Amino acid sequence: MIEIIAIDTPSLGDRSYLVEDGETAFVVDPQRDIDRVLDLAQVRGLQITDVFETHIHNDYVTGGLALARVTGAAYHVNAADPVSFERVSIEDGDVVEVGPRMRVRALATPGHTFTHLSYVLEAPGRAPAVFTGGSLLYGSTGRPDLLGPAHTGELVKRQYASAHRLAEILPDDAEIYPTHGFGSFCSATQSDADRSTIGREKRINPVLTQQEREYVDSLLAGLDAYPAYYAHMGPANSAGPDLPDLTVPKSVDPAELRSRIEAGEWVVDLRSRTAFAAGHVAGTLNFGADGNFATYLGWLIPWGTPLSLLGDTAEQVADAQRELVRIGIDRVESAATGTPEAWAGSAPLGSFPRADFGELAMVRHHRPVTILDVRRNLEWARNHIDGAVHIPLHDLLGRLGEVPAGEVWVHCQAGYRASIAASVLAAAGHRVVAVDDEFDRAALAGLPMTSG
């Protein structure tokens, strides 16, 4: 019996896979923290003999090389990828025998990258399974624009051709196992599906139901910004990442914490947005561990800025550190756990109000306030509050000078990004109110809406 085990990384919207026959196993697209894979293999008594990369990843640092070194497995990376480490080159049509019962066949599926490969698992007594990486996803495909605008036009057409190649080569009952599409910005659109087959995708996936021109136009029109840290992932993965360092950061006291803030370092509070708004160390920034912490921190932080973490518990800090190494932020300068009163010492705490859209609607009748919308461009274009100022969260640090003086009510789609923005604005000296509400309720509250 062949078993395919998905190893989810929900914070980045990705999946890795461990595939085993009871004795032998292979892994596809492992994340940086390979202890999750090693623990699975140990519990099940498996020998990992092969590790496959579908592509040089843009949204996380791979654990493939480190996993291969620890286990002695063969590390399969496309022969055309310009990497600086030893690998077992693989290319279109190559077949790898994994133990006595599993065969893995490589198929060239360019589009997400030029050298993207998918891997077809063939085993007696079961339908094929295809590990599609960033090619054919559930109801979508991978983005074709991550290598820059000069290549997007060519890659989107290749993505279309690759999806059709998979649909033509594989039977309808072939199972699909993508790496992206569960919240990753590497996916052109997102899906709630948890499994799919080639036959299902033929019925519902635009890349397989539309003509090429319609698919290309609609996909490109739907692309929005992606995290700035992606620029660092390709070089890191091509260089061959080592095992991450997850040792506990040194403890920090109030005096050192204040000096780090005053030196321009980032001190990040991992607590919930509710707790942060009620009281925090002045100058700290709120990236709650209860949201897409690593994605937005990696997106906003100037790369290489020293970073310290504040959390409710040591476990919360450790979890955050694990999230950070997945995107190549390997060093946390210091950390503290407990309460903001302990972190601040004798200094007064900062705070700001939270509100909903109903309260915003009432306030506008009594006094002028700035409404700051920090959603992305496509969200703004679909619908926004008339008269609001629009600065996407990922642009806010570079555009703080555009935020009007006076009282600023900041909102996003559901509250998480608004809290990040509010913390940035408060640290810069603005009077801020964080709107912690679902944007769908803005119109119901009587706020005038417009689009475009």
Side-chain angles (χ1 to χ4, degrees):
M1 176 69 73
I2 306 299
E3 186 173 2
I4 299 172
I5 304 165
I7 303 169
D8 286 356
T9 306
S11 57
L12 296 179
D14 289 322
R15 284 182 179 173
S16 306
Y17 298 95
L18 182 140
V19 186
E20 55 106 342
D21 65 3
E23 298 176 356
T24 306
F26 68 88
V27 178
V28 181
D29 289 346
Q31 289 270 345
R32 182 92 180 277
D33 48 330
I34 62 172
D35 55 336
R36 295 185 291 168
V37 179
L38 295 171
D39 289 347
L40 265 175
Q42 182 178 25
V43 167
R44 291 169 172 258
L46 304 171
Q47 179 185 4
I48 297 173
T49 61
D50 297 87
V51 179
F52 297 90
E53 294 284 8
T54 58
H55 60 292
I56 301 297
H57 299 284
N58 294 293
D59 63 332
Y60 66 87
V61 177
T62 181
L65 180 61
L67 180 61
R69 286 173 172 168
V70 168
T71 61
Y75 187 32
H76 303 281
V77 178
N78 194 321
D81 283 323
V83 298
S84 58
F85 51 84
E86 290 188 10
R87 39 77 191 277
V88 178
S89 296
I90 191 168
E91 53 192 351
D92 185 47
D94 287 352
V95 174
V96 178
E97 302 284 346
V98 182
R101 290 175 284 274
M102 298 186 289
R103 299 172 75 248
V104 176
R105 179 161 49 105
L107 293 178
T109 48
H112 190 48
T113 67
F114 283 104
T115 57
H116 191 285
L117 293 171
S118 295
Y119 297 102
V120 180
L121 167 65
E122 300 166 341
R126 60 161 292 137
V130 57
F131 300 90
T132 55
S135 184
L136 185 64
L137 312 183
Y138 296 157
S140 185
T141 58
R143 295 179 70 136
D145 62 328
L146 299 183
L147 301 185
H151 304 297
T152 302
E154 180 180 357
L155 284 172
V156 69
K157 293 178 181 178
R158 292 198 182 192
Q159 190 74 292
Y160 183 86
S162 292
H164 281 262
R165 183 187 189 201
L166 290 172
E168 291 163 5
I169 289 176
L170 296 169
D172 283 357
D173 61 350
E175 301 162 322
I176 298 171
Y177 293 92
T179 301
H180 304 313
F182 312 98
S184 169
F185 281 88
C186 277
S187 177
T189 60
Q190 303 303 326
S191 170
D192 294 328
D194 193 54
R195 60 195 318 159
S196 192
T197 62
I198 289 291
R200 180 178 183 272
E201 294 307 309
K202 284 180 178 179
R203 296 191 300 272
I204 60 96
N205 197 316
V207 74
L208 297 176
T209 61
Q210 297 176 347
Q211 295 298 311
E212 182 182 38
R213 175 46 55 192
E214 183 184 5
Y215 161 77
V216 167
D217 289 346
S218 62
L219 184 143
L220 295 181
L223 295 177
D224 208 338
Y226 55 83
Y229 78 81
Y230 278 23
H232 304 279
M233 299 299 95
N237 288 325
S238 295
D242 293 326
L243 281 168
D245 180 4
L246 293 173
T247 55
V248 177
K250 74 167 188 172
S251 297
V252 64
D253 60 26
E256 183 181 348
L257 203 60
R258 175 51 47 195
S259 70
R260 288 187 178 279
I261 294 170
E262 291 174 353
E265 297 184 11
W266 272 37
V267 178
V268 168
D269 191 324
L270 301 167
R271 296 175 302 141
S272 72
R273 56 185 181 264
T274 303
F276 184 87
H280 56 266
V281 177
T284 58
L285 304 176
N286 180 221
F287 291 79
D290 55 350
N292 288 342
F293 154 75
T295 294
Y296 286 107
L297 177 58
W299 201 333
L300 268 69
I301 192 170
W303 206 250
T305 299
L307 173 67
S308 296
L309 299 176
L310 307 177
D312 287 317
T313 64
E315 291 76 18
Q316 188 179 63
V317 170
D319 288 345
Q321 191 177 1
R322 178 178 290 266
E323 297 282 359
L324 291 171
V325 299
R326 290 172 178 158
I327 64 167
I329 298 178
D330 288 354
R331 184 176 177 186
V332 175
E333 299 291 336
S334 62
T337 59
T339 66
E341 290 81 6
W343 304 330
S346 60
L349 295 179
S351 65
F352 51 75
R354 294 166 52 249
D356 59 28
F357 283 110
E359 291 169 293
L360 174 56
M362 288 189 292
V363 163
R364 290 187 88 190
H365 291 301
H366 301 292
R367 63 182 186 273
V369 298
T370 294
I371 301 174
L372 178 62
D373 185 335
V374 297
R375 296 174 303 152
R376 290 185 293 278
N377 290 330
L378 288 180
E379 295 173 288
W380 164 269
R382 279 193 295 269
N383 203 14
H384 59 266
I385 300 170
D386 193 21
V389 174
H390 179 228
I391 303 176
L393 176 61
H394 56 269
D395 289 337
L396 184 59
L397 285 171
R399 297 174 60 185
L400 279 172
E402 299 176 32
V403 179
E407 189 175 339
V408 180
W409 288 56
V410 58
H411 79 85
C412 61
Q413 187 68 32
Y416 185 81
R417 288 174 289 172
S419 181
I420 297 172
S423 72
V424 170
L425 293 168
H430 284 274
R431 283 191 298 129
V432 63
V433 178
V435 179
D436 193 357
D437 200 357
E438 296 286 339
F439 183 68
D440 293 345
R441 296 175 184 159
L444 297 176
L447 290 162
M449 310 299 290
T450 187
S451 61

